[in-house]
Amino acid sequence: MIVEIKFAHGETNLFAENVFEYSPQDMVIIRSEKGMNYGRIVKKIKENPNIETEAKVLRIATEQDLADIAEIEQRSEQAKATIREAVADQKLDMKIVEAAYNLDKTQLFISFTAENRVDFRALLKELASIFRTRIELRQIGARDAAKVYGGVGPCGRPLCCSEFIYEFPNVSIKMAKNQALSLKQSKLNGLCGRLMCCLTYEDDFYREAQKNFPDFGEWISTSEGRGRVIGLNILGNKVKLRFDDFVKEFDLAEIGEIHG
């Protein structure tokens, strides 16, 4: 059986072989080419010859494992503070997002964000001498950083990326246009500064529904005469038209012939 593992410290999800009974979100101990590590089971994956298993689940985490993980995470937080001091001392234009040891402390994973390319060779040398373990520095994007930090979105709920999105969808401004949303960046961007992932959730519905609606600017024949389309309410199944002297909203079933 193959399962997908989400690392507690934000590493990219991986697929692992598993022979144990489990429940989603169970903490498990795994072995991969990066040594012993831990993470939570996301879901079972259907057998697929194209999926490469990168690790093996050794066991469901025991009470002792959970105690060890708590100690590892405490040490990781201390390491992050030290790394940030080293970055500040070297005046590097980068922001440390996360530092995390693997379970057997043979590797320290460090993720950071930066606007431009950073030469961190001197930093890597200094950190290797401080921590005396293998160091892996990884630059991540703004979305990945938001996923690690978490937070509350404009909807008042926890960020989707930190709760249940494991792969970021492709989001475009056209999705906002399809839904007749305000195109102000302050309304469309999430905490990461990028277009909100939730714009993709209903895009298929809106694109399909729009096939039954006229386009903006088209002329429509109605009982009031011919009017130009200035607004669509797809959920309400209504079309707003401008006439010479007034504006009126019609049910889609009330409008007649569409003219270019």
Side-chain angles (χ1 to χ4, degrees), residues 146-160:
K147 183 174 183 177
V148 173
Y149 287 131
V152 177
C155 60
R157 297 181 59 83
L159 297 183
C160 297

Side-chain angles (χ1 to χ4, degrees), residues 215 217-221 226-229 241-244 257-260:
D215 290 330
E218 288 188 316
W219 289 91
I220 306 293
S221 296
R226 294 175 72 246
R228 184 183 291 271
V229 177
L241 304 178
R242 179 182 296 281
F243 298 88
D244 290 338
E257 184 181 355
I258 299 174
H259 309 277

Side-chain angles (χ1 to χ4, degrees), residues 62-253:
T62 64
E63 289 188 9
Q64 182 58 53
D65 288 328
L66 295 177
D68 292 341
I69 289 170
E71 189 267 334
I72 286 289
E73 292 184 342
Q74 184 177 13
R75 289 191 58 177
S76 297
E77 283 298 312
Q78 294 169 351
K80 182 164 65 174
T82 301
I83 296 164
R84 284 176 171 170
E85 290 177 3
V87 169
D89 290 342
Q90 294 193 22
K91 296 181 173 56
L92 294 174
D93 188 16
M94 58 192 292
K95 182 178 181 180
I96 301 300
V97 176
E98 192 172 40
Y101 283 101
N102 61 353
L103 192 60
D104 51 12
K105 306 184 189 73
T106 58
Q107 192 162 3
L108 178 60
F109 304 97
I110 303 167
S111 56
F112 69 93
T113 58
E115 291 295 328
N116 302 301
R117 188 165 182 168
V118 179
D119 183 355
F120 51 70
R121 287 174 293 183
L123 174 67
L124 190 59
K125 185 176 180 180
E126 179 180 350
L127 296 182
S129 66
I130 293 173
F131 297 108
R132 298 191 178 280
T133 190
R134 184 181 174 189
I135 306 290
E136 181 178 311
L137 271 164
R138 183 167 62 100
Q139 185 170 353
I140 62 175
R143 282 182 164 188
D144 296 289
K147 183 174 183 177
V148 173
Y149 287 131
V152 177
C155 60
R157 297 181 59 83
L159 297 183
C160 297
C161 58
S162 61
E163 289 289 297
F164 60 85
I165 290 180
Y166 305 116
E167 293 184 7
F168 293 114
N170 293 320
V171 191
S172 70
I173 196 69
K174 191 173 189 304
M175 294 177 179
K177 292 179 179 179
N178 289 343
Q179 298 172 48
L181 298 175
S182 167
L183 298 184
K184 292 182 179 179
Q185 291 298 311
S186 60
K187 298 287 187 181
L188 298 178
N189 288 352
L191 297 186
C192 60
R194 304 292 188 269
L195 291 172
M196 292 187 291
C197 295
C198 57
L199 290 174
T200 65
Y201 296 169
E202 299 175 349
D203 187 57
D204 287 344
F205 163 78
Y206 277 96
R207 282 193 292 111
E208 189 64 29
Q210 278 186 338
K211 295 178 182 178
N212 300 318
F213 284 78
D215 290 330
F216 281 88
E218 288 188 316
W219 289 91
I220 306 293
S221 296
T222 73
S223 57
E224 304 282 349
R226 294 175 72 246
R228 184 183 291 271
V229 177
I230 62 170
L232 302 176
N233 181 349
I234 292 179
L235 291 180
N237 221 36
K238 295 180 182 297
V239 179
K240 183 180 289 187
L241 304 178
R242 179 182 296 281
F243 298 88
D244 290 338
D245 302 321
F246 62 96
V247 172
K248 185 174 180 180
E249 193 171 57
F250 294 81
D251 286 330
L252 186 62

